[in-house]
Amino acid sequence: MLDRVAIRWRLALTSAGLTLLILSVFAVGVYQTTTARIRADFNNEIAASVDKLRDGLDLTLDFRHQPPVIVNTPLDIVASKNAAIRILNPTDGSIFAETDKAPNLGRPPHVPSTATVAGYRVEARLAAVHPTGLRRGGSVTVVIQYARPIKDVEATVDRVRLFLLLGVLLGGGMALVAGLILARRAMSPITELTSAARTIAATRDPSRHVPVPRTDDEVAELARTLQEMLDSLEASREETEATLSRQRQFVADASHELRTPLTSILANLELLAEVLDGERGEAARSALRSSQRMRRLVGDLLLLARADANRHQPHGPTDLGRVLVEAAAELGPMAEGHELIVETDEAVVDGARDELYRMALNLMENALRHTPAGTRARARVAAENGEVVLSVQDDGPGVPPELRERIFERFVRGTGDRGSSSGLGLSIVRAVAEAHGGTVELADAGPGARFVVRLPRAPVASPAPPAEPAPV
């Protein structure tokens, strides 16, 4: 069970448990010693009281009464609180005198004696009394019984037991509170380390430092180890970022350098495709199609590399609706039996026209490529609440559930892809949308797929005030 309890509570409970155990052992020892002493003092006090009574009383036994009685001795006065005194005939046990409401203490088997009778501690002694009413003189021997109730001393023992029990419980409770306070102070460096780790996890910045306690203990060692780990992670991150930066630069430069020879190859292949006939002409046209696809792939890689390196083309006011119409016009001959519907409003954004064109073209091409012939694709541009919304929806089978989370990743292809896609189309859509301060999402659209791009709308320039007439 302790494994499920917080460490500070474990420390406090362990400390309180040990304290409670020590106090309990100590209390048991104190209880045994104290109660033994109390009972011994009680017994000694009774013995001393009966001896004092025997030696200090001048008892006179009057035989003129039958049975004889002790006269001129007020026993109730000489008896202490709750004490009972009886004076007996040692021969037959008859009572010569006794205090008021004295219990029957029995006849002692021998004198002097100590016994416990009817809840009383009884001490018996022999004493000599002066006889009166006898012809002969001398003295007569009687038995004096002095008793006190045991409940008096047991009440004191109960109070001692109660005080010790309360002391043990109070000490255990104080130990628990003190243990919590000490554990909280002892765990404060761990709490600071945890807070620093959460901050680093939230900011993803391993360059931050964790607090190192000034004491040279296990917590300080843990803090130093964490700091060394963070330093290693920071160095690894810097090395990784440098490597990625060099790779992005290489891809961007390579893609840029490939455009010139590809343009030359395309021009030569177009010329050969026009002048050659037969198998040679078909081979030239096949090579031309492959080269065009390669040029498209190089352009996609160049755009993504520029986005990764935060190298953006100049932006300006661009009507996204007009861009969508132009992209749809390019895709018209390649619709292959699809019905492409375009709805546009005037919606101006601040962006790069070529990149926005590529984004709109990729969205509509994606809808046509992954749906069977005869289906409908609808592209729409509208201004809504200070944003420009571009949506492309189709009536096809939709995006499989296993691809929904990775649909915008690079080189991810759907099951309906007929092999003509590089898997970069939607990645380019996301890169262009984010480069223009917008977002793209795959929205729920029933049986088909619906992609929605939201871009900030360009501020509308206020009309210039009319010129004032020149003074005549």
Side-chain angles (χ1 to χ4, degrees):
M1 292 179 61
L2 286 178
D3 293 338
R4 302 179 181 179
V5 181
I7 294 179
R8 63 180 62 183
W9 275 99
R10 271 189 273 174
L11 292 175
L13 289 174
T14 302
S15 174
L18 291 175
T19 302
L20 191 63
L21 178 61
I22 294 173
L23 289 178
S24 298
V25 173
F26 177 76
V28 170
V30 171
Y31 174 76
Q32 296 291 344
T33 303
T34 304
T35 54
R37 181 65 183 217
I38 291 173
R39 289 190 175 98
D41 290 343
F42 178 74
N43 296 335
N44 294 334
E45 182 181 353
I46 295 176
S49 297
V50 71
D51 291 337
K52 183 178 179 181
L53 179 64
R54 178 195 60 187
D55 298 336
L57 288 180
D58 186 12
L59 299 177
T60 301
L61 182 59
D62 189 356
F63 281 91
R64 291 174 296 181
H65 296 80
Q66 291 299 324
V69 296
I70 299 294
V71 296
N72 300 327
T73 303
L75 295 181
D76 290 320
I77 297 177
V78 299
S80 62
K81 184 178 180 182
N82 295 332
I85 301 175
R86 296 203 315 168
I87 300 177
L88 308 177
N89 186 342
T91 303
D92 57 6
S94 59
I95 302 173
F96 293 141
E98 62 180 350
T99 57
D100 187 27
K101 297 181 181 179
N104 183 10
L105 302 176
R107 179 180 178 183
H110 55 83
V111 180
S113 65
T114 302
T116 300
V117 180
Y120 281 79
R121 177 77 175 184
V122 183
E123 291 283 349
R125 299 289 188 272
L126 293 175
V129 298
H130 303 290
T132 304
L134 288 180
R135 296 179 181 178
R136 62 181 181 88
S139 61
V140 177
T141 302
V142 296
V143 176
I144 299 178
Q145 286 183 326
Y146 185 91
R148 286 183 58 184
I150 299 177
K151 65 179 183 181
D152 293 344
V153 69
E154 292 303 324
T156 304
V157 171
D158 291 341
R159 286 194 295 270
V160 171
R161 185 188 301 115
L162 177 61
F163 290 152
L164 289 176
L165 179 61
L166 292 178
V168 170
L169 295 179
L170 181 60
M174 293 177 64
L176 179 61
V177 174
L180 283 174
I181 296 174
L182 292 177
R184 182 176 182 179
R185 294 192 61 182
M187 294 295 293
S188 58
I190 301 295
T191 303
E192 294 177 0
L193 288 177
T194 304
S195 177
R198 287 176 178 170
T199 303
I200 294 173
T203 59
R204 297 186 178 182
D205 184 11
S207 63
R208 292 175 175 265
H209 293 278
V210 297
V212 179
R214 290 177 291 181
T215 56
D216 190 10
D217 55 7
E218 291 80 1
V219 179
E221 181 66 21
L222 174 62
R224 287 192 291 268
T225 303
L226 289 177
Q227 187 59 54
E228 292 174 359
M229 181 187 68
L230 290 175
D231 294 339
S232 300
L233 289 176
E234 175 65 14
S236 176
R237 188 185 72 166
E238 292 177 354
E239 182 179 353
T240 302
E241 288 183 351
T243 302
L244 292 176
S245 178
R246 290 192 296 268
Q247 291 178 351
R248 295 189 191 104
Q249 187 64 36
F250 170 76
V251 172
D253 295 339
S255 301
H256 180 73
E257 293 298 328
L258 284 174
R259 297 182 68 179
T260 300
L262 278 176
T263 302
S264 176
I265 291 173
L266 285 171
N268 292 327
L269 288 175
E270 288 175 355
L271 178 61
L272 290 175
E274 292 178 358
V275 300
L276 295 177
D277 296 328
E279 294 182 357
R280 293 184 178 182
E282 183 63 28
R285 284 187 291 273
S286 177
L288 177 61
R289 288 192 297 270
S290 298
S291 299
Q292 290 173 342
R293 183 180 178 189
M294 184 181 298
R295 181 177 64 177
R296 178 77 175 272
L297 178 60
V298 169
D300 292 344
L301 292 175
L302 180 59
L303 191 150
L304 291 174
R306 286 174 176 172
D308 291 340
N310 292 324
R311 293 163 55 184
H312 305 297
Q313 294 184 1
H315 289 192
T318 305
D319 186 356
L320 188 59
R322 183 178 296 275
V323 172
L324 181 65
V325 171
E326 295 175 358
E330 180 180 341
L331 285 177
M334 298 180 292
E336 299 181 358
H338 291 79
E339 182 180 359
L340 180 59
I341 302 174
V342 179
E343 301 176 359
T344 63
D345 295 333
E346 183 179 359
V348 180
V349 298
D350 185 23
R353 184 180 183 85
D354 292 340
E355 293 182 356
L356 294 174
Y357 181 88
R358 178 69 62 81
M359 178 183 71
L361 184 68
N362 285 357
L363 283 175
M364 291 186 293
E365 188 177 13
N366 180 77
L368 297 177
R369 180 179 291 117
H370 296 90
T371 55
T375 56
R376 176 183 302 177
R378 183 186 302 273
R380 181 174 182 271
V381 171
E384 299 177 2
N385 300 324
E387 293 181 331
V388 174
V389 179
L390 166 61
S391 62
V392 177
Q393 181 175 350
D394 59 65
D395 297 335
V399 179
E402 63 273 11
L403 292 181
R404 293 182 68 89
E405 298 296 330
R406 303 187 300 114
I407 193 65
F408 294 105
E409 296 180 4
R410 300 175 187 182
F411 302 106
V412 174
R413 300 181 181 182
T415 55
D417 196 341
R418 294 185 290 273
S420 59
S421 171
S422 62
L424 297 176
L426 294 179
S427 299
I428 291 175
V429 171
R430 182 175 65 176
V432 172
E434 292 178 351
H436 288 75
T439 59
V440 59
E441 64 176 344
L442 173 60
D444 294 329
R450 181 169 181 262
F451 293 89
V452 179
V453 178
R454 299 181 184 276
L455 301 177
R457 188 175 184 180
V460 180
S462 58
E468 297 182 1
V472 179

